[in-house]
């Protein structure tokens, strides 16, 4: 009984709730089965847009980073104490300029010793050659034995080999002595030095002394979806073009991080030959002129890669495109006096239009005004577009980028 008393107010309110539902049903109608035939039976007036071919630039928006055209790390090839820095950090250097000087005294002494050894070997060679000639003359006069001549000839050959060895030692000493001056391997802008005067350097050390970047021209490396690239090649093939487009014919434009557009136009010079299995992308690389050094290595940029033109592009006004509950786009096409629902594939927006890549054909009529009042299979009546309406302007959509 206490539990029944707790639910008594709810039981009393139940008739009122049911009465309210009946009133609401009376306002909106509860005969849902009779509503559909009534809607299908009436004719709606609509205006349409006839799809005509438009010329559209085919492009892709990609992100990437800049990288130097050439770069080289400067390392010592001999060991020693760093004696002098011969450049200004951050400045431009030319190939062959002296950047560092290593203490040369030890290598100068080694060169002098090698030259002295060579002089001694050359002097010994002269004496040995004269002895071999005299021994040969004496052999012809039967004054010495064949063994004596063989010993003299062997001594001559050994002296000649010693001269060659000393010559090689001199060349090695000269190379090491020249390498005490560390020179720029390429022309470009040099970074800050990682070592100062007095530091001990070792030959072929892992830490570079500095790095030189050649930034004119400049590379921009981008990643494009492999699926998108395949779809683009398929589209070009359908247009009668080769799906193996020469990269140098593809241009690119850069948008900087602040939204400004880079003044120079670049060209693609490399397309990846494999797909990254982790990201399903292909690497593209474009080359841009950079005479004023505005582009620096490592910048994040947006690139518009222009692949070509589609002279038979289909553009539809954005107001004619609807979306279902899943967000998939569709339009209504006027066919035999009835509205036909058609799923479409959109590429991108161009002004007030959508660039359609699949689902529509040239010459078809897309319902524009009144599209929200039609359903699939409904009979519709076509009326002329008002000249002042936005739809009239959309009937001849302007070309754009896709």
């Amino acid at each position: 009984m206490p539990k029944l008393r707790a639910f008594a107010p709810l039981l009393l309110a139940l008739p009122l709730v049911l009465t309210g539902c009946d009133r609401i049903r009376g306002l909106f109608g509860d005969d849902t089965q009779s509503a559909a035939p009534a809607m299908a039976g009436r004719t709606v007036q609509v205006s349409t847009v006839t799809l005509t071919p438009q010329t559209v630039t085919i492009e892709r928006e990609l992100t990437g980073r800049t990288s130097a055209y050439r770069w080289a790390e400067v390392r010592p090839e001999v060991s020693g104490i760093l004696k002098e820095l011969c450049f200004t950090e951050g400045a431009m250097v030319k190939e062959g300029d002296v950047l560092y000087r290593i203490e040369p005294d030890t290598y100068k002494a080694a060169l002098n010793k090698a030259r002295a050894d060579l002089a001694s070997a050359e002097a010994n060679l002269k004496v040995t050659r004269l002895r071999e000639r005299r021994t040969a003359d004496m052999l012809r006069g039967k004054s010495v034995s064949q063994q004596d001549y063989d010993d003299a000839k062997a001594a001559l050959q050994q002296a000649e080999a010693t001269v060659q060895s000393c010559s090689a030692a001199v060349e090695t000493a000269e190379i090491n002595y020249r390498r005490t001056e560390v020179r720029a391997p390429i022309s470009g802008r040099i970074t800050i030095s990682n070592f100062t005067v007095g530091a001990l350097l070792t030959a072929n050390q892992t830490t570079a002394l500095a790095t030189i970047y050649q930034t004119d021209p400049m590379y921009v490396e981008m990643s494009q979806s492999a699926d998108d690239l395949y779809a683009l090649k398929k589209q070009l093939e359908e247009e009668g073009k080769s799906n193996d487009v020469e990269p140098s014919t593809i241009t690119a434009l850069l948008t900087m991080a602040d939204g400004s557009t880079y003044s120079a136009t670049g060209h693609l010079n490399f397309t990846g030959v494999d797909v990254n299995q982790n990201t399903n992308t292909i690497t593209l690389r474009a080359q841009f002129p950079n005479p004023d050094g505005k582009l620096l290595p490592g910048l994040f940029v947006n690139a518009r890669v222009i692949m070509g033109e589609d002279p038979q592009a289909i553009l539809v006004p954005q107001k004619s495109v609807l979306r279902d509950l899943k967000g998939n786009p569709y339009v209504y096409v006027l066919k035999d006096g009835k509205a036909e629902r058609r799923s479409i594939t959109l590429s991108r927006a161009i002004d007030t239009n959508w660039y359609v890549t699949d689902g529509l054909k040239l010459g078809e009529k897309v319902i524009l005004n009144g599209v929200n009042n039609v359903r699939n299979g409904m009979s519709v009546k076509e009326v002329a577009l008002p000249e002042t309406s936005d739809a009239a302007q959309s009937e001849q959509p302007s070309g754009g980028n896709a």
Side-chain angles (χ1 to χ4, degrees), residues 293-335:
K294 184 177 180 180
L295 297 178
L296 299 177
L299 285 178
F300 179 82
V301 294
N302 292 320
R304 281 197 306 132
V305 181
I306 302 173
M307 306 291 185
E309 289 186 345
D310 182 5
Q312 299 291 319
I314 296 177
L315 300 182
V316 297
Q318 292 183 6
K319 63 185 297 184
S320 67
V321 178
L322 305 175
R323 292 185 182 272
D324 59 20
L325 295 178
K326 295 182 179 180
N328 299 319
Y330 66 92
V331 296
Y332 284 103
V333 178
L334 180 59
K335 187 174 182 180

mmCIF file of all heavy atoms in Angstrom, residues 293-335:
data_model
loop_
_atom_site.group_PDB
_atom_site.id
_atom_site.type_symbol
_atom_site.label_atom_id
_atom_site.label_comp_id
_atom_site.label_asym_id
_atom_site.label_seq_id
_atom_site.Cartn_x
_atom_site.Cartn_y
_atom_site.Cartn_z
ATOM 1 N N GLY A 293 67.247 34.346 -51.375
ATOM 2 C CA GLY A 293 67.395 33.594 -50.129
ATOM 3 C C GLY A 293 66.201 33.675 -49.207
ATOM 4 O O GLY A 293 66.333 33.440 -47.992
ATOM 5 N N LYS A 294 65.014 33.957 -49.746
ATOM 6 C CA LYS A 294 63.817 34.041 -48.897
ATOM 7 C C LYS A 294 63.446 32.687 -48.328
ATOM 8 O O LYS A 294 62.977 32.590 -47.191
ATOM 9 C CB LYS A 294 62.657 34.628 -49.708
ATOM 10 C CG LYS A 294 61.391 34.844 -48.888
ATOM 11 C CD LYS A 294 60.299 35.481 -49.722
ATOM 12 C CE LYS A 294 59.025 35.702 -48.895
ATOM 13 N NZ LYS A 294 57.948 36.327 -49.705
ATOM 14 N N LEU A 295 63.636 31.646 -49.112
ATOM 15 C CA LEU A 295 63.342 30.289 -48.635
ATOM 16 C C LEU A 295 64.549 29.745 -47.889
ATOM 17 O O LEU A 295 65.669 29.764 -48.397
ATOM 18 C CB LEU A 295 62.989 29.378 -49.810
ATOM 19 C CG LEU A 295 61.736 29.733 -50.605
ATOM 20 C CD1 LEU A 295 61.562 28.758 -51.767
ATOM 21 C CD2 LEU A 295 60.494 29.726 -49.727
ATOM 22 N N LEU A 296 64.317 29.256 -46.687
ATOM 23 C CA LEU A 296 65.369 28.658 -45.876
ATOM 24 C C LEU A 296 65.085 27.165 -45.693
ATOM 25 O O LEU A 296 63.917 26.750 -45.704
ATOM 26 C CB LEU A 296 65.445 29.339 -44.510
ATOM 27 C CG LEU A 296 65.769 30.837 -44.514
ATOM 28 C CD1 LEU A 296 65.726 31.391 -43.089
ATOM 29 C CD2 LEU A 296 67.125 31.104 -45.140
ATOM 30 N N PRO A 297 66.099 26.349 -45.536
ATOM 31 C CA PRO A 297 65.870 24.922 -45.334
ATOM 32 C C PRO A 297 65.046 24.653 -44.088
ATOM 33 O O PRO A 297 65.250 25.277 -43.047
ATOM 34 C CB PRO A 297 67.296 24.361 -45.194
ATOM 35 C CG PRO A 297 68.168 25.353 -45.878
ATOM 36 C CD PRO A 297 67.534 26.687 -45.653
ATOM 37 N N GLY A 298 64.078 23.737 -44.221
ATOM 38 C CA GLY A 298 63.272 23.338 -43.082
ATOM 39 C C GLY A 298 61.971 24.086 -42.910
ATOM 40 O O GLY A 298 61.231 23.819 -41.955
ATOM 41 N N LEU A 299 61.626 25.030 -43.827
ATOM 42 C CA LEU A 299 60.379 25.779 -43.707
ATOM 43 C C LEU A 299 59.185 24.882 -44.028
ATOM 44 O O LEU A 299 59.235 24.074 -44.956
ATOM 45 C CB LEU A 299 60.375 26.981 -44.650
ATOM 46 C CG LEU A 299 61.236 28.189 -44.261
ATOM 47 C CD1 LEU A 299 61.139 29.250 -45.357
ATOM 48 C CD2 LEU A 299 60.781 28.763 -42.934
ATOM 49 N N PHE A 300 58.089 25.051 -43.278
ATOM 50 C CA PHE A 300 56.831 24.359 -43.568
ATOM 51 C C PHE A 300 56.028 25.226 -44.531
ATOM 52 O O PHE A 300 55.777 26.403 -44.263
ATOM 53 C CB PHE A 300 56.043 24.120 -42.282
ATOM 54 C CG PHE A 300 54.721 23.431 -42.512
ATOM 55 C CD1 PHE A 300 54.664 22.056 -42.652
ATOM 56 C CD2 PHE A 300 53.543 24.154 -42.593
ATOM 57 C CE1 PHE A 300 53.466 21.409 -42.861
ATOM 58 C CE2 PHE A 300 52.333 23.516 -42.794
ATOM 59 C CZ PHE A 300 52.295 22.142 -42.930
ATOM 60 N N VAL A 301 55.629 24.651 -45.664
ATOM 61 C CA VAL A 301 54.918 25.401 -46.699
ATOM 62 C C VAL A 301 53.758 24.570 -47.231
ATOM 63 O O VAL A 301 53.722 23.347 -47.079
ATOM 64 C CB VAL A 301 55.858 25.784 -47.870
ATOM 65 C CG1 VAL A 301 56.917 26.773 -47.421
ATOM 66 C CG2 VAL A 301 56.502 24.541 -48.473
ATOM 67 N N ASN A 302 52.806 25.278 -47.843
ATOM 68 C CA ASN A 302 51.722 24.639 -48.591
ATOM 69 C C ASN A 302 51.993 24.823 -50.071
ATOM 70 O O ASN A 302 52.322 25.933 -50.505
ATOM 71 C CB ASN A 302 50.366 25.253 -48.223
ATOM 72 C CG ASN A 302 49.960 24.933 -46.802
ATOM 73 O OD1 ASN A 302 50.163 23.825 -46.337
ATOM 74 N ND2 ASN A 302 49.408 25.901 -46.100
ATOM 75 N N ALA A 303 51.851 23.769 -50.830
ATOM 76 C CA ALA A 303 52.151 23.813 -52.261
ATOM 77 C C ALA A 303 50.916 23.458 -53.064
ATOM 78 O O ALA A 303 50.202 22.499 -52.727
ATOM 79 C CB ALA A 303 53.300 22.864 -52.600
ATOM 80 N N ARG A 304 50.661 24.236 -54.107
ATOM 81 C CA ARG A 304 49.622 23.916 -55.078
ATOM 82 C C ARG A 304 50.299 23.336 -56.306
ATOM 83 O O ARG A 304 50.982 24.036 -57.033
ATOM 84 C CB ARG A 304 48.811 25.154 -55.454
ATOM 85 C CG ARG A 304 47.767 25.531 -54.424
ATOM 86 C CD ARG A 304 46.722 26.475 -54.986
ATOM 87 N NE ARG A 304 47.292 27.665 -55.583
ATOM 88 C CZ ARG A 304 46.960 28.152 -56.767
ATOM 89 N NH1 ARG A 304 46.089 27.512 -57.531
ATOM 90 N NH2 ARG A 304 47.509 29.255 -57.223
ATOM 91 N N VAL A 305 50.148 22.047 -56.495
ATOM 92 C CA VAL A 305 50.768 21.359 -57.625
ATOM 93 C C VAL A 305 49.753 21.299 -58.758
ATOM 94 O O VAL A 305 48.700 20.677 -58.635
ATOM 95 C CB VAL A 305 51.234 19.946 -57.228
ATOM 96 C CG1 VAL A 305 51.908 19.260 -58.407
ATOM 97 C CG2 VAL A 305 52.179 20.018 -56.039
ATOM 98 N N ILE A 306 50.063 21.982 -59.873
ATOM 99 C CA ILE A 306 49.146 22.077 -61.004
ATOM 100 C C ILE A 306 49.487 20.974 -61.993
ATOM 101 O O ILE A 306 50.542 20.993 -62.626
ATOM 102 C CB ILE A 306 49.249 23.466 -61.667
ATOM 103 C CG1 ILE A 306 48.935 24.553 -60.625
ATOM 104 C CG2 ILE A 306 48.299 23.575 -62.846
ATOM 105 C CD1 ILE A 306 49.166 25.952 -61.124
ATOM 106 N N MET A 307 48.593 19.984 -62.109
ATOM 107 C CA MET A 307 48.841 18.813 -62.929
ATOM 108 C C MET A 307 48.466 19.017 -64.399
ATOM 109 O O MET A 307 49.000 18.342 -65.268
ATOM 110 C CB MET A 307 48.057 17.619 -62.374
ATOM 111 C CG MET A 307 48.317 17.320 -60.913
ATOM 112 S SD MET A 307 49.984 16.683 -60.652
ATOM 113 C CE MET A 307 49.929 16.283 -58.901
ATOM 114 N N GLY A 308 47.519 19.911 -64.672
ATOM 115 C CA GLY A 308 47.068 20.114 -66.051
ATOM 116 C C GLY A 308 45.683 20.733 -66.057
ATOM 117 O O GLY A 308 45.249 21.363 -65.083
ATOM 118 N N GLU A 309 44.946 20.559 -67.154
ATOM 119 C CA GLU A 309 43.606 21.110 -67.305
ATOM 120 C C GLU A 309 42.622 20.026 -67.716
ATOM 121 O O GLU A 309 42.983 19.082 -68.421
ATOM 122 C CB GLU A 309 43.592 22.237 -68.343
ATOM 123 C CG GLU A 309 44.274 23.511 -67.884
ATOM 124 C CD GLU A 309 44.098 24.635 -68.878
ATOM 125 O OE1 GLU A 309 43.694 24.349 -70.026
ATOM 126 O OE2 GLU A 309 44.348 25.804 -68.516
ATOM 127 N N ASP A 310 41.379 20.187 -67.259
ATOM 128 C CA ASP A 310 40.277 19.315 -67.662
ATOM 129 C C ASP A 310 39.301 20.149 -68.486
ATOM 130 O O ASP A 310 38.505 20.918 -67.929
ATOM 131 C CB ASP A 310 39.577 18.747 -66.431
ATOM 132 C CG ASP A 310 38.452 17.794 -66.802
ATOM 133 O OD1 ASP A 310 38.284 17.517 -68.007
ATOM 134 O OD2 ASP A 310 37.732 17.332 -65.888
ATOM 135 N N PRO A 311 39.334 20.050 -69.831
ATOM 136 C CA PRO A 311 38.449 20.881 -70.667
ATOM 137 C C PRO A 311 37.003 20.415 -70.673
ATOM 138 O O PRO A 311 36.137 21.111 -71.205
ATOM 139 C CB PRO A 311 39.078 20.747 -72.054
ATOM 140 C CG PRO A 311 39.751 19.415 -72.042
ATOM 141 C CD PRO A 311 40.219 19.185 -70.633
ATOM 142 N N GLN A 312 36.718 19.253 -70.113
ATOM 143 C CA GLN A 312 35.362 18.719 -70.076
ATOM 144 C C GLN A 312 34.873 18.584 -68.633
ATOM 145 O O GLN A 312 34.168 17.645 -68.290
ATOM 146 C CB GLN A 312 35.316 17.350 -70.774
ATOM 147 C CG GLN A 312 35.710 17.369 -72.233
ATOM 148 C CD GLN A 312 34.679 18.093 -73.088
ATOM 149 O OE1 GLN A 312 33.482 17.936 -72.892
ATOM 150 N NE2 GLN A 312 35.150 18.892 -74.035
ATOM 151 N N ALA A 313 35.228 19.553 -67.821
ATOM 152 C CA ALA A 313 34.864 19.493 -66.410
ATOM 153 C C ALA A 313 33.380 19.797 -66.216
ATOM 154 O O ALA A 313 32.773 20.545 -66.983
ATOM 155 C CB ALA A 313 35.708 20.482 -65.614
ATOM 156 N N ILE A 314 32.806 19.212 -65.178
ATOM 157 C CA ILE A 314 31.410 19.431 -64.815
ATOM 158 C C ILE A 314 31.374 20.206 -63.509
ATOM 159 O O ILE A 314 31.903 19.741 -62.484
ATOM 160 C CB ILE A 314 30.654 18.099 -64.672
ATOM 161 C CG1 ILE A 314 30.607 17.367 -66.020
ATOM 162 C CG2 ILE A 314 29.249 18.328 -64.130
ATOM 163 C CD1 ILE A 314 29.936 16.014 -65.954
ATOM 164 N N LEU A 315 30.754 21.379 -63.550
ATOM 165 C CA LEU A 315 30.577 22.207 -62.366
ATOM 166 C C LEU A 315 29.088 22.367 -62.101
ATOM 167 O O LEU A 315 28.312 22.638 -63.018
ATOM 168 C CB LEU A 315 31.210 23.583 -62.560
ATOM 169 C CG LEU A 315 32.717 23.628 -62.850
ATOM 170 C CD1 LEU A 315 33.181 25.065 -62.958
ATOM 171 C CD2 LEU A 315 33.508 22.908 -61.777
ATOM 172 N N VAL A 316 28.695 22.182 -60.843
ATOM 173 C CA VAL A 316 27.298 22.377 -60.457
ATOM 174 C C VAL A 316 27.252 23.408 -59.338
ATOM 175 O O VAL A 316 28.159 23.471 -58.504
ATOM 176 C CB VAL A 316 26.642 21.051 -59.993
ATOM 177 C CG1 VAL A 316 26.615 20.043 -61.115
ATOM 178 C CG2 VAL A 316 27.373 20.477 -58.787
ATOM 179 N N PRO A 317 26.194 24.237 -59.296
ATOM 180 C CA PRO A 317 26.068 25.215 -58.206
ATOM 181 C C PRO A 317 26.000 24.517 -56.852
ATOM 182 O O PRO A 317 25.409 23.446 -56.713
ATOM 183 C CB PRO A 317 24.762 25.945 -58.536
ATOM 184 C CG PRO A 317 24.563 25.724 -59.996
ATOM 185 C CD PRO A 317 25.121 24.374 -60.296
ATOM 186 N N GLN A 318 26.598 25.131 -55.873
ATOM 187 C CA GLN A 318 26.634 24.519 -54.546
ATOM 188 C C GLN A 318 25.248 24.375 -53.940
ATOM 189 O O GLN A 318 24.982 23.427 -53.199
ATOM 190 C CB GLN A 318 27.525 25.357 -53.621
ATOM 191 C CG GLN A 318 28.996 25.330 -54.001
ATOM 192 C CD GLN A 318 29.862 26.099 -53.020
ATOM 193 O OE1 GLN A 318 29.390 26.565 -52.003
ATOM 194 N NE2 GLN A 318 31.142 26.260 -53.354
ATOM 195 N N LYS A 319 24.318 25.302 -54.262
ATOM 196 C CA LYS A 319 22.978 25.246 -53.672
ATOM 197 C C LYS A 319 22.160 24.076 -54.198
ATOM 198 O O LYS A 319 21.145 23.709 -53.601
ATOM 199 C CB LYS A 319 22.235 26.560 -53.931
ATOM 200 C CG LYS A 319 22.001 26.856 -55.404
ATOM 201 C CD LYS A 319 21.371 28.228 -55.594
ATOM 202 C CE LYS A 319 20.020 28.327 -54.956
ATOM 203 N NZ LYS A 319 19.358 29.615 -55.223
ATOM 204 N N SER A 320 22.598 23.447 -55.305
ATOM 205 C CA SER A 320 21.868 22.299 -55.835
ATOM 206 C C SER A 320 22.316 20.986 -55.223
ATOM 207 O O SER A 320 21.690 19.955 -55.443
ATOM 208 C CB SER A 320 22.036 22.223 -57.359
ATOM 209 O OG SER A 320 23.393 21.929 -57.694
ATOM 210 N N VAL A 321 23.391 21.001 -54.443
ATOM 211 C CA VAL A 321 23.949 19.774 -53.865
ATOM 212 C C VAL A 321 23.404 19.588 -52.454
ATOM 213 O O VAL A 321 23.489 20.483 -51.619
ATOM 214 C CB VAL A 321 25.487 19.829 -53.848
ATOM 215 C CG1 VAL A 321 26.057 18.565 -53.199
ATOM 216 C CG2 VAL A 321 26.035 19.984 -55.261
ATOM 217 N N LEU A 322 22.833 18.416 -52.192
ATOM 218 C CA LEU A 322 22.329 18.047 -50.876
ATOM 219 C C LEU A 322 23.192 16.928 -50.304
ATOM 220 O O LEU A 322 23.990 16.316 -51.020
ATOM 221 C CB LEU A 322 20.866 17.590 -50.978
ATOM 222 C CG LEU A 322 19.891 18.570 -51.637
ATOM 223 C CD1 LEU A 322 18.521 17.925 -51.777
ATOM 224 C CD2 LEU A 322 19.814 19.870 -50.863
ATOM 225 N N ARG A 323 23.009 16.668 -49.025
ATOM 226 C CA ARG A 323 23.777 15.598 -48.373
ATOM 227 C C ARG A 323 22.844 14.747 -47.538
ATOM 228 O O ARG A 323 21.900 15.259 -46.913
ATOM 229 C CB ARG A 323 24.899 16.177 -47.502
ATOM 230 C CG ARG A 323 25.987 16.853 -48.314
ATOM 231 C CD ARG A 323 27.151 17.308 -47.444
ATOM 232 N NE ARG A 323 28.165 17.996 -48.230
ATOM 233 C CZ ARG A 323 29.175 17.400 -48.839
ATOM 234 N NH1 ARG A 323 29.290 16.082 -48.756
ATOM 235 N NH2 ARG A 323 30.051 18.101 -49.528
ATOM 236 N N ASP A 324 23.146 13.443 -47.514
ATOM 237 C CA ASP A 324 22.341 12.535 -46.715
ATOM 238 C C ASP A 324 22.819 12.525 -45.275
ATOM 239 O O ASP A 324 23.706 13.308 -44.891
ATOM 240 C CB ASP A 324 22.347 11.129 -47.323
ATOM 241 C CG ASP A 324 23.767 10.560 -47.421
ATOM 242 O OD1 ASP A 324 24.666 11.064 -46.706
ATOM 243 O OD2 ASP A 324 23.979 9.607 -48.200
ATOM 244 N N LEU A 325 22.237 11.653 -44.453
ATOM 245 C CA LEU A 325 22.593 11.611 -43.035
ATOM 246 C C LEU A 325 24.053 11.236 -42.801
ATOM 247 O O LEU A 325 24.627 11.576 -41.770
ATOM 248 C CB LEU A 325 21.676 10.614 -42.310
ATOM 249 C CG LEU A 325 20.184 10.992 -42.276
ATOM 250 C CD1 LEU A 325 19.379 9.902 -41.581
ATOM 251 C CD2 LEU A 325 19.977 12.329 -41.590
ATOM 252 N N LYS A 326 24.658 10.548 -43.759
ATOM 253 C CA LYS A 326 26.074 10.184 -43.641
ATOM 254 C C LYS A 326 27.003 11.222 -44.228
ATOM 255 O O LYS A 326 28.225 11.050 -44.214
ATOM 256 C CB LYS A 326 26.319 8.831 -44.327
ATOM 257 C CG LYS A 326 25.593 7.674 -43.662
ATOM 258 C CD LYS A 326 25.921 6.362 -44.364
ATOM 259 C CE LYS A 326 25.216 5.192 -43.697
ATOM 260 N NZ LYS A 326 25.532 3.898 -44.383
ATOM 261 N N GLY A 327 26.432 12.295 -44.773
ATOM 262 C CA GLY A 327 27.253 13.341 -45.351
ATOM 263 C C GLY A 327 27.606 13.138 -46.800
ATOM 264 O O GLY A 327 28.382 13.924 -47.359
ATOM 265 N N ASN A 328 27.060 12.112 -47.437
ATOM 266 C CA ASN A 328 27.364 11.852 -48.836
ATOM 267 C C ASN A 328 26.583 12.815 -49.725
ATOM 268 O O ASN A 328 25.369 13.002 -49.544
ATOM 269 C CB ASN A 328 27.008 10.412 -49.207
ATOM 270 C CG ASN A 328 27.789 9.403 -48.387
ATOM 271 O OD1 ASN A 328 28.974 9.587 -48.153
ATOM 272 N ND2 ASN A 328 27.128 8.344 -47.942
ATOM 273 N N PRO A 329 27.218 13.435 -50.718
ATOM 274 C CA PRO A 329 26.533 14.419 -51.547
ATOM 275 C C PRO A 329 25.677 13.764 -52.630
ATOM 276 O O PRO A 329 25.986 12.678 -53.131
ATOM 277 C CB PRO A 329 27.694 15.195 -52.172
ATOM 278 C CG PRO A 329 28.813 14.223 -52.242
ATOM 279 C CD PRO A 329 28.658 13.336 -51.040
ATOM 280 N N TYR A 330 24.579 14.433 -52.983
ATOM 281 C CA TYR A 330 23.729 13.974 -54.081
ATOM 282 C C TYR A 330 22.995 15.168 -54.658
ATOM 283 O O TYR A 330 22.906 16.239 -54.035
ATOM 284 C CB TYR A 330 22.757 12.893 -53.619
ATOM 285 C CG TYR A 330 21.721 13.358 -52.625
ATOM 286 C CD1 TYR A 330 20.467 13.825 -53.044
ATOM 287 C CD2 TYR A 330 21.978 13.333 -51.251
ATOM 288 C CE1 TYR A 330 19.506 14.255 -52.135
ATOM 289 C CE2 TYR A 330 21.032 13.757 -50.340
ATOM 290 C CZ TYR A 330 19.798 14.222 -50.786
ATOM 291 O OH TYR A 330 18.855 14.648 -49.892
ATOM 292 N N VAL A 331 22.464 15.007 -55.871
ATOM 293 C CA VAL A 331 21.665 16.023 -56.533
ATOM 294 C C VAL A 331 20.432 15.351 -57.120
ATOM 295 O O VAL A 331 20.335 14.117 -57.162
ATOM 296 C CB VAL A 331 22.465 16.735 -57.654
ATOM 297 C CG1 VAL A 331 23.635 17.504 -57.095
ATOM 298 C CG2 VAL A 331 22.921 15.726 -58.715
ATOM 299 N N TYR A 332 19.474 16.188 -57.565
ATOM 300 C CA TYR A 332 18.315 15.697 -58.292
ATOM 301 C C TYR A 332 18.433 16.121 -59.745
ATOM 302 O O TYR A 332 18.659 17.300 -60.043
ATOM 303 C CB TYR A 332 17.016 16.222 -57.686
ATOM 304 C CG TYR A 332 16.626 15.520 -56.407
ATOM 305 C CD1 TYR A 332 16.817 16.125 -55.171
ATOM 306 C CD2 TYR A 332 16.071 14.247 -56.443
ATOM 307 C CE1 TYR A 332 16.459 15.476 -54.001
ATOM 308 C CE2 TYR A 332 15.713 13.598 -55.270
ATOM 309 C CZ TYR A 332 15.913 14.207 -54.055
ATOM 310 O OH TYR A 332 15.569 13.560 -52.902
ATOM 311 N N VAL A 333 18.324 15.144 -60.634
ATOM 312 C CA VAL A 333 18.417 15.383 -62.066
ATOM 313 C C VAL A 333 17.016 15.288 -62.662
ATOM 314 O O VAL A 333 16.243 14.373 -62.319
ATOM 315 C CB VAL A 333 19.365 14.363 -62.726
ATOM 316 C CG1 VAL A 333 19.419 14.572 -64.232
ATOM 317 C CG2 VAL A 333 20.761 14.467 -62.125
ATOM 318 N N LEU A 334 16.674 16.245 -63.538
ATOM 319 C CA LEU A 334 15.380 16.219 -64.217
ATOM 320 C C LEU A 334 15.460 15.260 -65.398
ATOM 321 O O LEU A 334 16.238 15.450 -66.327
ATOM 322 C CB LEU A 334 15.015 17.628 -64.703
ATOM 323 C CG LEU A 334 13.675 17.746 -65.446
ATOM 324 C CD1 LEU A 334 12.529 17.289 -64.561
ATOM 325 C CD2 LEU A 334 13.471 19.170 -65.928
ATOM 326 N N LYS A 335 14.651 14.202 -65.341
ATOM 327 C CA LYS A 335 14.675 13.187 -66.390
ATOM 328 C C LYS A 335 13.246 12.726 -66.668
ATOM 329 O O LYS A 335 12.569 12.208 -65.768
ATOM 330 C CB LYS A 335 15.542 12.003 -65.958
ATOM 331 C CG LYS A 335 15.765 10.980 -67.057
ATOM 332 C CD LYS A 335 16.744 9.912 -66.602
ATOM 333 C CE LYS A 335 17.024 8.902 -67.702
ATOM 334 N NZ LYS A 335 17.968 7.859 -67.258
#
